Amino acid sequence: MSKRTICLILAVALLLTLGLSVASAAPLSQGEAYTIVLGDWLSKLAEKYLGNPGAWPAIMAATNTKHIEDPTFARIENADQIWPGQKVWVPTKEEAEDFLAIYEPGKDELLFGKRAKGQLVIGSWWTSGGEAAGLAGMFDIYASKNPEVEIVNATVAGGAGSVFKGVLKTRLIGGDPPDTFQLHAGLEVEGYSPETYLAPLDDLYAEEGLEAVFPPDLLTLLKYKDHYWGVPVNIHRSNVLWYNKKIFADNGLTPPTTFDEFFAVCEALKAKGITPHIMGSSGAWQVGHLFESVLLGTLGADGYRDLWTGATPWTDPGVAQALENFKRMVDYANSDHPALSWDGAAAYIIEGKGAMYIMGDWANGEFTKYEFTDYGWTPPPGTKGVFMALSDSFSLPKEAPNPENARNWLKVCGSKEGQEAFNPKKGSICARTDCDPALFNEYLKSALADWAVDTIVPSVQHGAAAYDKWVADYQDALTLFMATWDVAAFQTTLQQACVDYGICH
Ligand code: GAL
């Protein structure tokens, strides 16, 4: 090949890379995806495809709009900063003209693909497999009813809202709340100063007829200072002991129902080198979660419930016994529990790394998500016939930037359609009483049956039984207990907290 030919080829290649975008192109009959090459800028593309370099904002806005649905398209923050490899969307000439007719430099939000009806910013801590799947089920329904609204999934990871709640409080106080956020039914709401920061939802309850579709006990739990502050999406059960069926079958064991049986199973498995009891304690809440079931199993339904009303003192010998039971259970747990999140611990059951795990039925959502079916369930020791309940709801901050969008979200949360899409994936039963049971798996069918006949007690760890401050004290005292094993110190601290919060006298 002569030198001249090589130069010619190189020149053509360079032109193809740098120059083609300058040449004009046939107008597009429909929009087109285009991948940026070296030397492109939006005005060049606008000139080439739209015949007008000044039409670049139309390409920017169209690309950003595409990005909302399909993140393989670029999000262009600044028209001067695009780079090779980015995928953009070139609209048709007519679309560009329509856009330019409404666009003026002051209306920058149009450049960012904002939908006609703006955003819906939803705050929650649902980031695990089952949690995210359930949430996505409700998003789909919302999106189909509100296509002009962009859903922003503003999650903060950390089970039970352990990180989220603090972040949310700061945002509420700073006047920068999301449009709606996850809130447990019960006394947890007090921690958000609802009269200052939240909008009461009584009118929405009336409009949607919600009082007729939720059980009366749940309605009582949801009312605080005579108002509803959240719309519930589910009922979760806190006291469930999950077990790996294969391990139990291989070792000829039956699921324990009492503490003695629990420890006997633990001994048998330990002797075979199998971890009997799976725990995660990377968050203090996980320990609080386990201990509420131990308190319930040791004190019984009335004794446990009365701890939060002051009728059972924390100095009761039953509490000391519960602490002893708890300590023994920790002795049989995986040694890496301080590093494990709740879903990490659930994965140990899935992988057969241990036999039993006491966790709320969001673990069922996790098993469903990962298509694990070889699990069994039973109430933790001593809790048969008692359902420790909690409920997730969504609220409306007074300063929600898009209150109309939020109210429409709350309507989906309260609806049969929304709850049926959400709960089978989330591992919870509906808060409504009219969901179709056929949609639920075997575990959830059993939870539905138990919910109908069991004694119901409120979970403390998940916001139902006590003020947030008291829950924080409870968690702190347990963390300290796991370091010192000082039974009396734990009891005194909790009794003092009960007095401090005006419950015990
Ligand atoms: C609970 C919440 C559940 C579940 C769990 C773990 O507090 O009510 O929906 O998500 O935390 O994150």
Side-chain angles (χ1 to χ4, degrees):
M1 205 182 289
S2 73
K3 253 187 172 176
R4 220 173 136 243
T5 321
I6 292 173
C7 285
L8 206 67
I9 291 172
L10 279 177
V12 169
L14 200 67
L15 261 180
L16 277 173
T17 322
L18 291 176
L20 257 193
S21 51
V22 189
S24 70
L28 301 173
S29 56
Q30 46 188 337
E32 196 170 288
Y34 175 89
T35 303
I36 300 291
V37 296
L38 199 65
D40 275 339
W41 56 88
L42 291 186
S43 55
K44 272 191 189 175
L45 292 182
E47 183 172 18
K48 176 181 162 188
Y49 287 105
L50 307 169
N52 169 14
W56 63 265
I59 299 179
M60 180 167 166
T63 303
N64 285 337
T65 302
K66 283 274 173 198
H67 171 86
I68 294 168
E69 298 287 347
D70 177 358
T72 63
F73 281 94
R75 173 161 165 99
I76 306 172
E77 300 282 341
N78 178 342
D80 293 331
Q81 289 173 7
I82 54 170
W83 49 85
Q86 278 185 317
K87 194 161 97 175
V88 299
W89 183 258
V90 185
T92 63
K93 221 169 165 188
E94 293 74 53
E95 284 166 347
E97 276 161 12
D98 288 351
F99 175 81
L100 292 173
I102 54 163
Y103 173 70
E104 22 180 292
K107 291 185 186 166
D108 276 355
E109 71 274 12
L110 293 175
L111 289 177
F112 295 102
K114 290 244 169 93
R115 305 251 174 115
K117 293 203 175 155
Q119 296 183 318
L120 168 71
V121 182
I122 305 173
S124 85
W125 59 85
W126 284 336
T127 55
S128 81
E131 291 175 338
L135 195 53
M138 278 203 294
F139 287 171
D140 287 347
I141 291 177
Y142 184 87
S144 70
K145 291 184 191 295
N146 303 276
E148 326 81 341
V149 177
E150 178 194 356
I151 297 173
V152 179
N153 186 14
T155 50
V156 180
S162 45
V163 185
F164 174 85
K165 290 182 198 172
V167 172
L168 209 273
K169 281 176 193 168
T170 311
R171 288 190 66 172
L172 277 178
I173 294 166
D176 172 35
D179 292 309
T180 179
F181 71 92
Q182 185 187 349
L183 168 71
H184 284 126
L187 289 174
E188 179 173 299
V189 70
E190 186 265 356
Y192 291 110
S193 306
E195 288 148 307
T196 311
Y197 296 113
L198 304 185
L201 298 171
D202 312 298
D203 56 340
L204 192 126
Y205 269 65
E207 239 175 80
E208 298 292 297
L210 295 181
E211 283 190 327
V213 296
F214 298 138
D217 286 353
L218 179 60
L219 289 167
T220 309
L221 192 66
L222 287 158
K223 249 195 184 162
Y224 176 73
K225 300 217 168 157
D226 231 22
H227 295 295
Y228 296 116
W229 304 98
V231 175
V233 288
N234 65 0
I235 305 284
H236 263 308
R237 182 173 191 163
S238 159
N239 62 319
V240 191
L241 184 155
W242 307 98
Y243 60 92
N244 181 301
K245 270 188 169 171
K246 183 171 183 326
I247 295 181
F248 269 69
D250 287 353
N251 294 282
L253 296 166
T254 42
T257 59
T258 63
F259 284 102
D260 285 347
E261 287 175 15
F262 181 88
F263 295 126
V265 167
C266 286
E267 270 306 310
L269 290 172
K270 194 180 163 191
K272 298 202 173 165
I274 299 166
T275 306
H277 176 209
I278 294 299
M279 264 181 83
S281 63
S282 64
W285 76 269
Q286 293 157 257
V287 178
H289 182 97
L290 170 60
F291 190 57
E292 70 180 13
S293 271
V294 179
L295 277 172
L296 177 63
T298 314
L299 292 161
D302 289 344
Y304 164 82
R305 200 176 7 218
D306 288 351
L307 283 172
W308 309 104
T309 62
T312 305
W314 282 86
T315 46
D316 189 277
V319 175
Q321 182 58 52
L323 289 163
E324 296 298 349
N325 289 341
F326 172 77
K327 180 175 182 301
R328 269 185 88 186
M329 292 170 98
V330 175
D331 286 344
Y332 286 110
N334 44 311
S335 56
D336 62 349
H337 65 80
L340 278 191
S341 62
W342 76 266
D343 44 332
Y348 275 26
I349 295 292
I350 296 176
E351 292 158 14
K353 286 187 181 168
M356 299 181 282
Y357 178 39
I358 294 175
M359 184 42 66
D361 49 12
W362 39 93
N364 182 252
E366 214 60 10
F367 297 155
T368 303
K369 168 77 190 172
Y370 295 108
E371 295 176 6
F372 173 65
T373 51
D374 200 25
Y375 63 93
W377 61 89
T378 190
T383 69
K384 190 170 168 20
V386 190
F387 190 117
M388 171 114 62
L390 61 123
S391 167
D392 294 300
S393 78
F394 280 88
S395 68
L396 176 60
K398 260 189 197 154
E399 293 192 57
N402 304 285
E404 214 33 60
N405 295 346
R407 288 179 74 86
N408 288 333
W409 165 252
L410 297 177
K411 288 178 189 172
V412 171
C413 291
S415 70
K416 183 167 185 292
E417 192 187 5
Q419 300 207 356
E420 286 182 343
F422 173 74
N423 286 296
K425 293 182 175 135
K426 180 66 169 66
S428 38
I429 55 174
C430 290
R432 292 179 67 106
T433 49
D434 58 355
C435 284
D436 178 1
L439 296 169
F440 294 90
N441 67 16
E442 284 316 303
Y443 164 73
L444 288 170
K445 286 194 178 113
S446 81
L448 260 175
D450 290 349
W451 171 246
V453 298
D454 278 5
T455 304
I456 309 295
V457 296
S459 156
V460 67
Q461 187 56 60
H462 304 279
Y467 294 138
D468 239 18
K469 294 171 271 196
W470 198 359
V471 180
D473 286 351
Y474 162 83
Q475 277 183 192
D476 289 351
L478 269 177
T479 306
L480 192 64
F481 178 66
M482 284 182 74
T484 62
W485 303 120
D486 186 338
V487 170
F490 177 92
Q491 290 186 277
T492 318
T493 307
L494 266 288
Q495 184 60 23
Q496 188 55 48
C498 184
V499 172
D500 290 348
Y501 301 127
I503 309 288
C504 295
H505 302 286

